[in-house]
DNA sequence: CCCAGGTAAGACAACGTTGTCCCCAGTACA
DNA sequence: TGTACTGGGGACAACGTTGTCTTACCTGGG
């Protein structure tokens, strides 16, 4: 075994120097060919390309990025849980936009942990991502300010940041819930139970605020069943429904703050073979199959992810403008199946 | 404005050189502090750390990786569609394992396109990912051989590769379907309709093979309704069910090759208020709410993703062994609700 | 025939970090 | 007091690529 480029030596990757030697040209010419610089003589370029495929050369983008100081063609996405369809849909939409810009997406889950979120952000900056899309966990995002000042763009999605100014792409939680409650009220319902998980969360408090707007409009300030709080476990949502129904003054309609809560409610109603005017935030793929009619607030999750990614790339290409704030609209849609009649 | 490190000059990031100057130590000492080398005098380390946070220093991992030649702490995952819960669950599980190894995950969707898959693989190798997890699209993966020979590990998940040898993590499609069909046969069903999408796919042909095993065992070689092929659109699966039911010899039981097909079948049955012995591959979150009883083949998708990632990291830490092949077991479970009786 | 002008290729340095080596100061021991 | 040793810090080179500058060559016109 000599130290000549063998092409088969395991572990050792051919570099541009190896290609240059094999093709009998200078390193720089190889670089030019790799970057498709047009001022390379055709025969040389051909020889270089031959040597490249002969040796199985692959450009080391780590080195190229370091030297050129240009973009790494990588953006980071920090969500709460990739296994949750809402977040994975956002990730998929963002990746589709990134693909248009020949950019890869590093997706990381913070798991609702502010400390973890921060760690992830710093890790991604050390990897020199070109930009960041973040679903904030509710903690403080002021740790981002230094990096934002240095020109790395960040877009917040689903919830706004606190402690720094940046682009945001949000759902119209408030209007959606207001419209939904208006509908229930227009149907004559006066006693509406509301089940949410937590109020410390931006999303849920916006939804409740929208609900309150509608209730206040109708002259009802909260209602006896308003804003009962439970965990985000469908089972405990079912328990909450049971408690409401077993109370001496059961509500005639029920608003579920998200689709997990709705599931728990539907299961409980199905178990009791009870019926109620059911309404919820979040549409989802299997909602049409629910064994109970329900009016849900729908929205285009893909559009949300797409919007955030497009805002990010726009800012990458034209930095400096003031942060902007886009909102994805919501709509009402009837789901579930009426299975009682025959 | 001087050219002194200002800490506020936008666009210019402080480097170790800047930190060294600010702390009055050598570049190398800064490097040692950043890497937590213990042989640095406490007072110097303290000064360096102070300068780091003063300047807002973040190590450039691109440069560190280039120089050290060590891992990039990044692995690639190529799936078919991140918006599909099956794949996003795999991605989430893989990311959880990666987190244990302080590694980030670049997830990219091939969209069932072999050419795109190949592009993505090459792009990820140019980024020098430490390893790759791939759900192959069914094309040829021999383009991976060079890189595998160089020692970059790859694990195939859900389907085996063709054209190269590598670790695989698969579902036990064959046994699962065989057990499911055995159950239908044991219940006395002799005429079982089977709806699949395509047979060019490894997964579906394994499932059909398992079904055939059970049928042959029972002395039925295929059956009149076996292996009718339709697209993966739930609507067209519904049409297929309609055609079977309207035929002069309707089956008494129906096997759906995946959960999308099952959805189409359930919708069609609900529309007709018809009932059938229903069975399918794939469990899913909302299966318990289906308005028709169904026995499904379940499996632990997270375990599949976890397994693949663990195989990858094991190979990263001990390369050279023969490729291994793990299979995730399946089980039968009854889903859906019986809504007829009252 | 010489020189200007342009084009293509190469030499060299640099990106920001880490690996290697060396040196210097401090200590222990003869 | 001199020598051997050790611990800690710094100088320098290197990772693989690209930016800049220079050089060599070729063409065409005076």
């Amino acid at each position: 075994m000599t130290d000549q480029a063998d092409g088969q030596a395991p572990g050792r990757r051919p570099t541009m120097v190896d290609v240059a030697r094999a093709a009998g040209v200078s390193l720089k010419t190889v670089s030019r060919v790799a970057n498709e610089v047009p001022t390379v003589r055709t025969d040389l370029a051909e020889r270089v390309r031959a040597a490249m495929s002969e040796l199985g050369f692959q450009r080391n983008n780590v080195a190229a990025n370091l030297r050129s100081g240009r973009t790494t063609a990588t953006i980071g996405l920090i969500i709460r849980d990739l296994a949750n369809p809402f977040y994975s849909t956002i990730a998929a939409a963002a990746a589709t936009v990134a693909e248009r810009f020949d950019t890869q997406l590093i997706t990381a889950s913070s798991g609702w942990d502010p400390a973890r979120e921060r760690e992830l952000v710093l890790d991604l900056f050390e990897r020199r991502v070109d930009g960041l899309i973040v679903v904030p966990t509710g903690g403080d995002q002021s740790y981002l300010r230094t990096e934002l000042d240095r020109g790395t763009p960040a877009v917040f999605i689903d919830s706004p940041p606190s402690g720094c100014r940046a682009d945001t792409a949000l759902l119209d939680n408030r209007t959606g819930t207001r419209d939904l409650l208006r509908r229930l009220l227009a149907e004559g319902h006066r006693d509406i139970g509301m089940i949410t998980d937590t109020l410390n969360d931006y999303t849920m408090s916006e939804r409740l605020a929208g609900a309150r707007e509608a209730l206040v409009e109708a002259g009802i300030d909260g209602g006896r069943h308003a804003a009962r709080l439970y965990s985000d476990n469908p089972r405990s949502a079912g328990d909450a429904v049971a408690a409401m129904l077993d109370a001496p003054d059961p509500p005639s309609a029920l608003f579920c703050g998200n689709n997990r809560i709705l599931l728990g409610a539907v299961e409980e109603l199905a178990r009791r073979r009870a019926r109620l005017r059911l309404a919820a935030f979040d549409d989802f793929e299997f909602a049409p199959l629910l064994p109970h009619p329900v009016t849900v607030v729908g929205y285009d999750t893909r559009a949300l992810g797409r919007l955030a990614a497009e805002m990010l790339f726009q800012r990458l290409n034209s930095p400096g403008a003031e942060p902007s704030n886009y909102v994805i609209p919501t709509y009402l849609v009837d789901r579930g199946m009426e299975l009682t009649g025959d």
Side-chain angles (χ1 to χ4, degrees), chain A:
Chain A
M1 277 274 176
T2 71
D3 61 357
Q4 290 288 91
D6 198 330
Q8 288 302 83
R12 164 105 172 93
R13 281 196 171 76
T15 70
M16 286 193 178
V17 175
D18 302 319
V19 175
R21 192 158 31 213
V25 298
S26 80
L27 163 62
K28 185 65 202 184
T29 298
V30 177
S31 168
R32 280 191 260 258
V33 172
N35 289 289
E36 293 172 330
V37 172
T39 64
V40 178
R41 235 169 47 216
T42 327
D43 58 328
L44 282 195
E46 213 37 70
R47 248 161 61 204
V48 169
R49 271 190 281 268
M52 279 179 169
S53 63
E54 170 76 19
L55 297 176
F57 170 78
Q58 289 171 167
R59 189 213 336 240
N60 184 333
N61 272 338
V62 173
N65 286 328
L66 173 61
R67 170 58 205 174
S68 69
R70 275 199 298 253
T71 70
T72 53
T74 312
I75 62 175
L77 171 65
I78 296 177
I79 56 185
R80 291 179 182 168
D81 175 19
L82 188 53
N84 180 318
F86 176 68
Y87 297 113
S88 66
T89 302
I90 287 175
T96 303
V97 174
E99 191 183 323
R100 288 213 317 266
F101 293 90
D102 292 315
T103 292
Q104 295 294 343
L105 190 64
I106 297 185
T107 307
S109 299
S110 64
W112 283 269
D113 177 2
R116 174 84 185 135
E117 170 194 312
R118 186 179 174 177
E119 268 176 35
L120 289 172
V121 168
L122 297 182
D123 181 6
L124 291 174
F125 281 147
E126 288 195 347
R127 290 163 188 269
R128 295 292 186 266
V129 292
D130 301 332
L132 220 49
I133 303 176
V134 183
V135 179
T137 52
D140 177 69
Q141 279 78 40
S142 51
Y143 60 81
L144 266 174
R145 283 160 81 167
T146 314
E147 194 63 28
L148 288 174
D149 287 345
R150 283 183 190 140
T152 308
V155 175
F156 285 82
I157 180 169
D158 195 44
S159 297
S162 64
C164 69
R165 283 163 49 76
D167 291 326
T168 57
L170 304 174
L171 285 182
D172 199 350
N173 291 291
R174 190 182 288 238
T175 306
T177 315
R178 194 193 59 199
D179 293 349
L180 181 62
L181 269 281
R182 275 184 183 164
R183 180 132 138 204
L184 299 184
L185 291 161
E187 290 170 5
H189 292 283
R190 282 292 169 274
D191 204 351
I192 302 172
M194 303 207 283
I195 307 184
T196 67
D197 45 6
T198 171
L199 284 184
N200 298 328
D201 178 64
Y202 164 83
T203 300
M204 200 54 83
S205 52
E206 280 291 298
R207 290 177 190 175
L208 260 191
R212 289 233 174 76
E213 277 182 31
L215 291 172
V216 167
E217 275 175 11
I220 304 173
D221 61 339
R224 288 199 302 282
H225 295 286
R228 305 200 175 185
L229 311 182
Y230 301 94
S231 88
D232 74 339
N233 182 333
R235 183 70 228 131
S236 67
D239 294 343
V241 172
M244 281 190 187
L245 293 180
D246 291 336
D249 52 351
S252 66
L254 191 62
F255 166 68
C256 301
N258 64 33
N259 52 14
R260 304 187 73 81
I261 292 170
L262 173 65
L263 278 184
V266 167
E267 278 186 276
E268 180 63 24
L269 290 175
R271 233 164 40 78
R272 294 173 170 242
R273 301 189 185 274
R275 307 191 73 70
L276 214 58
R277 179 65 172 102
L278 211 49
F281 212 101
D282 299 329
D283 196 6
F284 53 102
E285 190 181 357
F286 301 106
L289 288 176
L290 286 175
H292 189 298
V294 54
T295 303
V296 299
V297 180
Y299 46 84
D300 188 345
T301 310
R302 291 195 77 87
L304 182 64
R306 204 161 44 223
L307 170 65
E310 273 161 0
M311 289 172 85
L312 186 67
F313 282 104
Q314 187 172 348
R315 193 157 289 272
L316 272 169
N317 296 329
S318 64
E322 277 294 288
S324 52
N325 190 341
Y326 283 93
V327 173
I328 294 285
T330 58
Y331 50 85
L332 298 185
V333 53
D334 292 310
R335 298 294 190 198
M337 299 190 298
E338 188 64 67
L339 293 165
T340 46
D342 205 9

